[in-house]
Amino acid sequence: MTSTSESAHKKLKMTTTPENPRIIALFDVDGTLTIPRGEITPEMMSFMKSLSEKITVGIVGGSDLPKQEEQLGEGIASIFPYNFSQNGLVAYKNGELQEVQTIAKFLGEDNIKRIVNWTMKYLADIDIPIKRGTFIEFRSGMFNISPIGRNCSREERNDYEKVDLERGIRKNMVEAMKKEFADLNLTYSIGGQISFDVFPAGWDKTYCLRFLKEEDFDEIHFFGDKTFEGGNDYEIFTSERTIGHTVTSPDDTKEQCTKLFMS
């Protein structure tokens, strides 16, 4: 028997071909389609669906698929032609799973334990106003590390971000990890308000580009807010294969896309 959820996913699947299928726009999630860790507004989702009638649309985020669904809605992997969670380590095309890669297989369990043990000791010695829970989130393609803990409230998240900007807490921790784990060839990417990602070199958002064949697209646009060096959009923003656009909010994303693709 087909579940209600499965039926809904099938109904959501995009089947129309856009007017300009050889132009694709890839979108970050936090700060680009939603406010940080917020849900997409109905107006923004409606705009994205209208945009997908003009050009090919894809989503590329650092979070796993369940978190993407929390922000963008159930069945998001089937709404637009391309969906990449965990920077593309989990890749969907037209609602069909293409690939799953894992950091555990790549690094091996001994190195996983090295990273976890060192991180727990380092975080124990950081003095910040408050600490909550879930300081290390182990995802299939990366570690997400948060000095305050991902269980903090939105108000606590906002307050921590101010402290982090003043004291460089995440930036300093990243520098320490670069020295400690120099042998593992890892990449460190600060994104959002409270955390940073750790993953093998080359597993940033450019990883998703391997699923976009050069002969299939004339232009690959990318829209993101953390496009500065060290931000989790920087590598794909500066890639030779993409045309990068820095945005400041979902409204800015909508405005830029309207001028570029819908005017």
Side-chain angles (χ1 to χ4, degrees):
M1 180 179 292
T2 302
S3 69
T4 302
S5 178
E6 288 173 340
S7 298
H9 286 198
K10 289 178 181 177
K11 289 178 183 177
L12 288 169
K13 189 171 180 178
M14 299 293 290
T15 57
T16 57
T17 300
E19 292 177 14
N20 298 298
R22 294 185 61 81
I23 297 176
I24 184 171
L26 300 173
F27 295 87
D28 168 51
V29 180
D30 276 354
T32 302
L33 299 180
T34 74
I35 62 172
R37 291 302 303 142
E39 295 180 9
I40 194 168
T41 64
E43 294 78 14
M44 190 64 186
M45 179 56 81
S46 177
F47 173 80
M48 292 299 294
K49 289 179 178 178
S50 296
L51 180 63
S52 69
E53 296 175 3
K54 298 289 185 179
I55 61 172
T56 304
V57 169
I59 308 296
V60 53
S63 296
D64 58 23
L65 186 55
K67 284 190 173 61
Q68 270 197 16
E69 290 191 319
E70 288 176 12
Q71 293 183 265
L72 302 179
E74 283 191 27
I76 187 61
S78 299
I79 293 178
F80 302 111
Y82 290 91
N83 183 277
F84 305 110
S85 54
Q86 299 185 68
N87 293 345
L89 299 178
V90 179
Y92 282 84
K93 179 181 179 182
N94 296 324
E96 300 294 329
L97 183 63
Q98 304 295 299
E99 178 181 291
V100 177
Q101 177 61 279
T102 70
I103 193 171
K105 283 193 299 184
F106 189 82
L107 292 179
E109 289 301 333
D110 287 344
N111 284 322
I112 296 295
K113 286 189 291 185
R114 274 181 63 198
I115 295 170
V116 170
N117 291 343
W118 184 92
T119 298
M120 291 172 68
K121 291 175 183 176
Y122 186 97
L123 291 176
D125 292 332
I126 290 180
D127 182 21
I128 56 178
I130 62 170
K131 292 183 181 180
R132 291 299 181 248
T134 312
F135 301 98
I136 307 173
E137 187 172 82
F138 181 76
R139 301 172 181 170
S140 63
M142 67 182 73
F143 289 97
N144 178 265
I145 298 172
S146 174
I148 186 177
R150 296 191 63 88
N151 291 356
C152 61
S153 68
R154 181 168 295 281
E155 182 180 358
E156 291 165 344
R157 172 187 291 265
N158 293 338
D159 289 342
Y160 170 79
E161 184 180 27
K162 296 174 186 175
V163 174
D164 187 84
L165 290 171
E166 291 172 2
R167 293 171 46 188
I169 295 168
R170 288 181 292 174
K171 184 178 179 181
N172 292 337
M173 186 171 180
V174 164
E175 291 305 313
M177 292 189 78
K178 284 180 179 178
K179 294 178 182 177
E180 182 70 23
F181 302 108
D183 59 309
L184 297 185
N185 194 25
L186 299 172
T187 293
Y188 304 84
S189 184
I190 297 173
Q193 296 175 289
I194 62 169
S195 65
F196 63 93
D197 297 328
V198 182
F199 46 86
W203 286 22
D204 50 66
K205 286 180 180 172
T206 59
Y207 190 94
C208 76
L209 298 178
R210 67 186 61 198
F211 300 101
L212 307 179
K213 296 178 181 178
E214 292 192 27
E215 61 266 27
D216 289 346
F217 298 102
D218 298 323
E219 297 177 7
I220 301 174
H221 294 259
F222 171 76
F223 293 83
D225 66 319
K226 296 291 191 296
T227 57
F228 53 84
E229 188 169 2
N232 64 355
D233 297 325
Y234 177 76
E235 290 84 3
I236 191 169
F237 175 77
T238 57
S239 169
E240 292 182 356
R241 291 196 61 197
T242 67
I243 302 168
H245 306 271
T246 302
V247 300
T248 58
S249 67
D251 285 342
D252 187 34
T253 300
K254 186 189 299 184
E255 183 177 341
Q256 291 194 39
C257 286
T258 298
K259 291 178 180 178
L260 282 168
F261 308 120
M262 303 179 78
S263 59

